[in-house]
Amino acid sequence: MKISYIIPVYKVEQYLVKSVTSVLAQTYKNIEVVLVDDGSPDNCPMLCDQIALEDERIKVLHKPNGGLSDARNAGLKIATGDYVVFMDSDDLWIGEDSLDKLVSLIKRYPECNFYGFNCQYYYPNSNTYTKWIQYADELLTPVSGNTAMVSLVKSGTFPMSACLKVIDRQWLIDNKIIFKVGQIAEDIPWFINLLEKTDKCMFVNNYIYAYRQNVAGSITASGGERAFNSVLDIVKNELALIDKRYFTEEAIDALRSFLAYEVSILIATVYGLPKEKQDDARAEIKQLCWLLRYTKNPKVRMVSCVYSVWGFSITERLLRIYNWYRKRK
């Protein structure tokens, strides 16, 4: 069984070698590493070529800059593994036997289309790790996409990131599940599509992936107006699609609660827009606040209580304070 790692590369020359090394160090050796140089303007293109000379399992694709989604899609086209893993080029895999454990899981439960694993946040300044919330016990064996949707939303552990899964490559191709080019937060609709199409999936609390924090200029670094508008567009697009999706009614309600969580993020970050655009943005968000009635997600439940008692302005102010505190923590 061959596993393909697809790693988009853009302006990460100080992190790239360590990231790739964490993959090559895996005790499971039947892998390929696809480095997709997304038109990086620094020394990354040359570095990719140098790394590839040191291990025949590495191949490099140089392409014009198209963004993270475009790079991932391009990597998927040339990957040859039975399963694929997406990885960001400034992050790390933790534990040299992590892939071995996942391959054993695949062999034990071959009916799954994808397998989710858990993550940690890595703070290089203090060399410390913080674990993400555990997945619910019911997800530790194969379940339907409907069951996964409801459980993940209810537990507040909705793992949108493409980097937290090992996925059947041919199944991805057959179902035409790709990333929308040019969109920030592209993992959100991608993961919803994953859950909709899957027959069976499962999640394990193996803390394999380490997200490097406070990286400026990487391929995933984004924020401000573009990020805000992208999330707003995603919420609107998903609402337009929601009745056409093949989810149960319970799963659709859970999806609405997840979208309510994204609306909460919009409320918390609207102040970061240019001042002349804030009022129009608030008007658009208010039209989506009906989603706060869907309270399967525990954080949405708290926001909904505040909103129903004190209204939009106070909710925005409190979420803003919470957002400020969370970033300082």
Side-chain angles (χ1 to χ4, degrees):
M1 184 187 301
K2 185 177 180 181
I3 310 295
S4 295
Y5 285 82
I6 298 171
I7 308 179
V9 177
Y10 187 78
K11 294 174 68 175
V12 286
E13 56 184 298
Q14 68 185 107
Y15 311 115
L16 181 59
V17 171
K18 192 169 183 179
S19 292
V20 174
T21 299
S22 74
V23 171
L24 297 178
Q26 293 298 308
T27 53
Y28 188 84
K29 298 302 182 184
N30 190 10
I31 67 172
E32 72 172 357
V33 178
V34 181
L35 297 177
V36 184
D37 162 35
D38 192 42
S40 187
D42 57 4
N43 290 320
C44 279
M46 180 180 64
L47 193 54
C48 286
D49 291 336
Q50 289 177 348
I51 294 171
L53 291 175
E54 298 172 5
D55 196 308
E56 62 183 7
R57 296 173 297 171
I58 300 174
K59 58 185 178 183
V60 180
L61 171 64
H62 298 287
K63 60 179 287 298
N65 179 254
L68 178 59
S69 293
D70 191 50
R72 285 175 173 172
N73 293 339
L76 181 61
K77 287 180 181 178
I78 66 170
T80 60
D82 301 290
Y83 289 83
V84 297
V85 175
F86 294 99
M87 181 177 178
D88 290 342
S89 50
D90 47 6
D91 295 332
L92 304 166
W93 262 47
I94 303 299
E96 293 184 356
D97 62 346
S98 293
L99 185 56
D100 249 322
K101 291 177 180 177
L102 288 175
V103 170
S104 296
L105 192 73
I106 293 170
K107 291 177 178 177
R108 185 178 178 186
Y109 300 104
E111 66 269 32
C112 292
N113 305 117
F114 71 90
Y115 310 77
F117 45 87
N118 221 315
C119 66
Q120 306 178 66
Y121 293 107
Y122 171 51
Y123 299 89
N125 290 341
S126 58
N127 195 33
T128 56
Y129 296 82
T130 302
K131 289 183 176 180
W132 182 237
I133 306 166
Q134 285 196 346
Y135 299 124
D137 289 346
E138 65 182 321
L139 299 177
L140 304 183
T141 53
V143 296
S144 68
N146 287 300
T147 298
M149 172 70 78
V150 174
S151 180
L152 291 169
V153 171
K154 285 173 67 175
S155 61
T157 56
F158 203 72
M160 300 164 290
S161 173
C163 300
L164 302 184
K165 296 148 192 89
V166 54
I167 315 158
D168 185 317
R169 182 179 66 86
Q170 194 58 50
W171 176 77
L172 273 181
I173 294 170
D174 291 344
N175 285 279
K176 301 177 181 178
I177 302 176
I178 59 174
F179 299 91
K180 184 176 179 180
V181 176
Q183 186 175 64
I184 299 176
E186 63 286 320
D187 288 3
I188 296 175
W190 179 86
F191 183 50
I192 294 171
N193 290 337
L194 219 62
L195 290 176
E196 181 186 23
K197 297 293 185 181
T198 188
D199 294 317
K200 293 290 182 180
C201 61
M202 63 183 296
F203 297 79
V204 291
N205 286 310
N206 296 0
Y207 286 85
I208 293 171
Y209 198 85
Y211 285 108
R212 186 185 295 271
Q213 300 300 290
N214 305 319
V215 177
S218 73
I219 198 167
T220 54
S222 59
E225 187 176 0
R226 186 177 169 220
F228 179 94
N229 289 334
S230 185
V231 172
L232 182 60
D233 286 343
I234 286 170
V235 173
K236 291 178 178 178
N237 290 339
E238 287 303 320
L239 287 175
L241 289 172
I242 201 165
D243 291 328
K244 300 174 185 177
R245 289 194 178 276
Y246 296 103
F247 286 124
T248 63
E249 193 56 44
E250 185 182 17
I252 287 175
D253 281 354
L255 177 53
R256 290 190 180 109
S257 187
F258 169 72
L259 295 176
Y261 174 76
E262 296 301 311
V263 169
S264 300
I265 292 174
L266 292 173
I267 297 172
T269 56
V270 65
Y271 75 96
L273 296 177
K275 198 169 184 65
E276 67 274 11
K277 297 184 178 182
Q278 289 182 16
D279 287 343
D280 287 343
R282 287 186 179 95
E284 285 201 79
I285 298 170
K286 287 176 182 178
Q287 293 179 8
L288 298 169
C289 281
W290 60 271
L291 284 166
L292 296 175
R293 299 198 303 265
Y294 294 89
T295 56
K296 287 187 183 294
N297 179 282
K299 290 182 179 178
V300 171
R301 198 149 47 240
M302 290 187 287
V303 174
S304 180
C305 287
V306 174
Y307 179 79
S308 62
V309 174
W310 285 297
F312 188 92
S313 295
I314 298 298
T315 303
E316 179 188 340
R317 185 173 300 177
L318 290 175
L319 285 175
R320 202 162 127 193
I321 293 170
Y322 169 78
N323 205 34
W324 173 84
Y325 175 77
R326 184 180 59 84
K327 287 182 178 180
R328 283 177 56 91
K329 193 174 179 181

